[in-house]
Amino acid sequence: MTSFRYIGTKRRAKEHPRFVSGRGRFVADIALPGMKHVALVASPHAAARIVSIKTDAARAAPGVLYVLTGEEFCANTDSLAIGVDAPKVTRFALARGVVRYAGEWVAAVVADSRALAEDAAERVEVEYEPLPHVIDPEAALAPGAPLVHPAHGSNLLYHRKFVWGPVEEAFASAEHRIAFRAVWGRSATVPIETFGVAAQWDAGTGILDIWASIQMPKFPDQAARALRLPGNAVRVHYDVDVGGSYGVKRGIKHTVLVGYLAKKLGVAVRLIEDRLENLRGGDMQGPDRFFDMQVAFGADGVIRAMKIRAVDDVGAYAGRSPFQLGKPVTAICGPYAIGAIEYEPISVMTNKTPQEAVRGFGQSPTNFAIERAIDRAARHLGMDQVELRKRNFIRKDQFPYTIPSGSTYDSGDYHGVLDETLAAIDYGSLVRARDEARRSGRLAGIGISSCLEPSGGNSAFEVLMNPKNENTTWMDSCLVRVDLSGAITGVIGNSSAGQGHESLVSTVLGEILERDPETIRVVRADSLTALPSNSPVGSRMAIMLGGAAAGAAKTIKETLIAIAAHNFECSPEDLEYRDGSVNVKGAPSKEFSWDQLVEIAHRKFHKLPPGIEPGLQAKFVWEVPTGGALPTPEGRIQIYPCYAFEAHVVLVEIDPDTCKPAIRKYLCGHDCGVMINPDIVHGMTYGGIAHGLGAALYEKFAYTEDGQLASGTFMDYLIPSAMEVPAMAIVDHCTPSPLTTFGQKGSGEAGYLGAPAAIANAVNDALAPLGASIDTLPMSHLAIWNAIGARKGAAST
Amino acid sequence: MKAAPFEYARAASLSEVCALLATHGDGAKLLAGGQSLVPMMAMRLVRPAWLVDINEIAELKFIAVEKDMARTGACTRQGAVERDHALAARVPLLRQALAWVGHVQTRNRGTIGGSLAHADPCAELPLVAQVLGARMLLRSGTGARTLEAEKFFAGPMATNVRPGECLEEIHWPAWSWRHTGSAFTEISVRHGDFAMVAAAAQVAIDGDGRCVRAAFGLGGVGGTPLAFPKIAGRLVGTRLDDAAVNDAAHAAATETQPGSDLHASAEYRRHLAGVLAARALREARERARSL
Ligand SMILES: Cc1cc2nc3c(=O)[nH]c(=O)nc-3n(C[C@H](O)[C@H](O)[C@H](O)COP(=O)(O)OP(=O)(O)OC[C@H]3O[C@@H](n4cnc5c(N)ncnc54)[C@H](O)[C@@H]3O)c2cc1C
């Protein structure tokens, strides 16, 4: 393997000193002169007609500038983008006429302070006439169900049955078949920073400036469209630190609302969600999905075919959320060589808070369902779960490997990673520890998951799920400048939510240009000056931004060599590049130093070769590798380009008397190709596992039958703390991707994609001796108690 | 999450507190550590017209360990009580319970009196007060009175503190038997959460290992923390063997009528009540035997 100078070495992340010393600049740090604050009036009903809204008392309250309602807002802005082909499922920041979920915003109050705005918001009088509502997705699909959007004609947003390969034949001839339902609870990433946005309209320039806590592709474009402004009238500032996201920081509705108010009122306006708004009306809840799984397999444990029916409840509006059923198409058989797959995604609307993208974009729920199927198949046959996995894994020598849904996996070594993981945790002694615990009367179980992390963020699920959408371009870019002093600056066109893009770009530029990354600065253009980016989604930036930075740096390097060749009057092939200087091969003293070359580029046109632009800068814009295609009629398509792999092994113990689970051991084997910054990859993975633990055992946006969010505060939406997250270890493995500059793959979703599956398998292994099982997340203490059943009189234990 | 408008006064003495309470009556709320009150105000679930801050009042912050009891001022921080070794030696249940109350950070701010006055049925300190039969000294502009724990707690988040009264100090009885052991245990979903069910027990045994006194109780299974003096009384004279302990725990659990919520059903809570009561009693017994 190529050796690198900076890539893969342990280096402090460039952004750490800033954050650790409290010098981050978040949206709440943006203080604009005369800035006003917004508070929201939210619907108490899951579904209701708005009979009237009286705003006089609120307007008369101290410090109040304006009260905006849906009538005015919807008449003057356009619907947010809908995603799938459902033009009647329009969506605005403020409800007009009807409300479709409890927590939906009905009016916005603008006042001198947030506290005054909240005081006035209480004085807005809204008269509602409750309407029938539906909370359960299966009930929503039944005939006669109350319609969330009557104009759409049903609650079904998307439904298609894909059949890739001879599924029925395989089921008919297989020796064994199992069927079960796996349920993924509605959870999310819940960042410590809620969503926030500040906006200011400059009537002189006609530009709306926006500072927001965002992680969203096409954000400036969508904001401008909804505000009926030309694209070049909206300037989104990307130099705002984002205090956590992993998908949910979309905030487009918030931004259109605040943008509208800022322009209309001619003052700077800010909205920072409080936690109650964030959880209930911030539209950031994740997939809410059940899977009807069927698997056909032989006595040898080899899986012949799989049927997956996935019903996903997106809540009251569409947005991009139905696409979270689409991304898993790109890894629909996991790491397994399964020849025939049926996949039936069904996207349903209910009167719940709308769903938003969450880490993995629907892949983690799907991985959970697949891994429960693997575990159940092994149990069904009485076969060791490791053995069954190995019999089905795609082998190292089979790559590139095209799966039935048409995506080609770039590379992998699944057997190798699993073996190393089991060796690192000492699987034999882990099994002995479990059996020992069982003998002493405790419930103990080992769970394994082996999952894929598709990466590269080619969002071809859009064209797959919406025939009217022909967007096949998912580029990213970087601009590199070397100034007259010889200092290097990388310019990127997106904000970061902790992914370490400054470390990424400086490392890559340093690697190619052989300059110390510590000296390289990375800055962010705003949306009017930026090169195109699709933002850090879909584990794409190591691949796409890393690749773009490398491409631009290579151009700089070629330019420097060309300048030297011109002045030495030799061919570039006769020269070598070392640490930024260029010398004649075999004659180290015949050299142009970095400073000399930079000076020629900037100031000595007479020494510049013809055809070379003065100054020293290069841009690189590229399309995602393997991207750009439309689906076949059967819905086969290449979505993501690169496939990282993770194997989790976990030992869980459950107190048989209290049903309290505890994780005793946790190890994750991880292969994301070449790691550009190992600390950042490991940090993402640790966090991903903790996040997965939340989804597996604790976190749920639960709704009451009357459509109220029952876990609307951190008293009830339970995020694991440092006390619940176990000590864990990571074993690195490296199978380079042949598709990327350095062999890197994505890793932003690492850990989360396999942790819920592994923990679910471990809990089930622990319950197995009792004949109990759980296929519903989160596996709360109560759920475990219910699964074990009424084991009465346990006071005697 | 901004509180509704309110007036604020920082009282310098207990008599000033009483005067302020007398003037503002029902509209006034005392602010102690603020760890329960402030979030409720931020969510506008509580809207006091006046907030009377008692944090600067020295006479409400003390720990005094006496022969047959310990006294704590109402505004003594939970963390201070937890760290006091002399107190832990005389009334060990307090430290044992405090380990389960919130987090280091909340205990550094939250007070003993605030927790008792808040009267969350799942809270740990009210359970200890109930099991030990703590006495609450209440002060108002017109005088003082003492309430036994069982009279103090009136229901979920409700006490018999009258408008105009301030909890001044709490008397925690200490047992004088040499072989006295106590234990606190609970189940919550996450560490530091309010208990789904909590159990506290204290037992004393004589030189022969016979129980001379026993007390235990359960939190999270009713509107107030519950003590079971009658059932505990049946343990006196026994050797606290597992069968006797389990019977007592089971009897107590059977008496409870817990509610259901998102995290625990009534059946699950009642089940946990039996398990935890038995565990607390056994652990207390082991401690008593080891002395
Ligand atoms: C994250 C977190 C976790 C927590 N976990 C737990 C837990 O596991 N168990 C638990 O028991 N608690 C828990 N708490 C609550 C914490 O223990 C509080 O400190 C306690 O409930 C209230 O005490 P305080 O001093 O903060 O009172 P405050 O919040 O200031 O007041 C609470 C109430 O008591 C009244 N009050 C206060 N002092 C007096 C007085 N002297 N006389 C009369 N009335 C008075 C106030 O007016 C108010 O109504 C948690 C809190 C947080 C923030």
Side-chain angles (χ1 to χ4, degrees), chain A residues 297-421:
Chain A
F297 48 100
D300 55 359
V302 174
I303 298 172
R304 309 283 196 263
M306 195 156 62
K307 293 185 186 180
I308 305 175
R309 176 175 176 266
V311 176
D312 191 70
D313 174 356
V314 301
Y317 294 92
R320 283 177 71 74
S321 45
F323 292 144
Q324 297 198 77
L325 282 167
K327 170 177 164 182
V329 167
T330 206
I332 198 64
C333 53
Y336 310 108
I338 303 173
I341 305 269
E342 178 183 296
Y343 181 51
E344 187 179 3
I346 299 169
S347 183
V348 190
M349 291 183 283
T350 63
N351 295 101
K352 290 184 193 156
T353 300
Q355 184 189 109
E356 196 42 272
V358 163
R359 200 183 211 149
F361 210 66
Q363 191 68 50
S364 194
T366 311
N367 287 351
F368 156 71
I370 295 172
E371 291 302 297
R372 283 300 300 133
I374 296 294
D375 194 61
R376 280 176 162 269
R379 234 168 256 292
H380 180 88
L381 291 174
M383 183 182 278
D384 179 67
Q385 52 172 330
V386 172
E387 181 59 28
L388 187 127
R389 283 187 167 80
K390 287 188 174 174
R391 288 194 187 176
N392 286 284
F393 274 161
I394 298 161
R395 292 190 320 274
K396 190 180 177 178
D397 57 17
Q398 289 176 290
F399 292 96
Y401 182 91
T402 303
I403 64 169
S405 60
S407 281
T408 298
Y409 294 171
D410 57 336
S411 66
D413 179 8
Y414 307 152
H415 291 91
V417 176
L418 183 57
D419 280 341
E420 278 168 34
T421 309

Side-chain angles (χ1 to χ4, degrees), chain A residues 82-119:
Chain A
I82 296 164
V84 289
D85 186 15
K88 297 283 167 50
V89 185
T90 55
R91 179 186 190 186
F92 294 87
L94 297 180
R96 176 174 54 180
V98 290
V99 290
R100 298 184 170 87
Y101 66 98
E104 181 167 6
W105 301 346
V106 173
V109 179
V110 186
D112 290 342
S113 73
R114 168 75 193 201
L116 290 170
E118 284 189 31
D119 291 345

Side-chain angles (χ1 to χ4, degrees), chain A residues 133-277:
Chain A
H133 64 271
V134 61
I135 291 302
D136 177 67
E138 285 189 297
L141 288 173
L147 295 181
V148 181
H149 291 264
H152 180 65
S154 90
N155 292 322
L156 188 65
L157 266 177
Y158 180 83
H159 181 197
R160 186 169 171 189
K161 189 189 274 189
F162 298 97
V163 181
W164 300 301
V167 175
E168 292 306 335
E169 294 86 325
F171 266 85
S173 63
E175 293 154 289
H176 296 275
R177 284 176 288 272
I178 56 169
F180 67 102
R181 177 172 285 192
V183 183
W184 177 274
R186 180 176 269 244
S187 57
T189 30
V190 183
I192 197 161
E193 179 203 49
T194 58
F195 185 81
V197 53
Q200 187 170 39
W201 170 253
D202 184 330
T205 58
I207 290 179
L208 180 70
D209 281 295
I210 292 173
W211 295 262
S213 174
I214 40 159
Q215 182 205 0
M216 170 150 190
K218 315 278 195 297
F219 178 85
D221 176 69
Q222 287 201 26
R225 273 173 208 266
L227 286 163
R228 299 178 184 162
L229 289 170
N232 63 6
V234 171
R235 177 163 54 198
V236 178
H237 296 264
Y238 293 127
D239 56 348
V240 175
D241 290 315
V242 179
S245 173
Y246 282 108
V248 297
K249 286 285 179 64
R250 300 294 159 129
I252 186 74
K253 82 170 185 185
H254 314 55
T255 302
V256 176
L257 176 68
V258 167
Y260 175 81
L261 286 167
K263 181 160 180 285
K264 154 133 196 158
L265 303 175
V267 292
V269 177
R270 179 173 103 171
L271 165 61
I272 309 262
E273 289 175 333
D274 68 21
R275 190 58 69 185
L276 299 175
E277 287 162 351

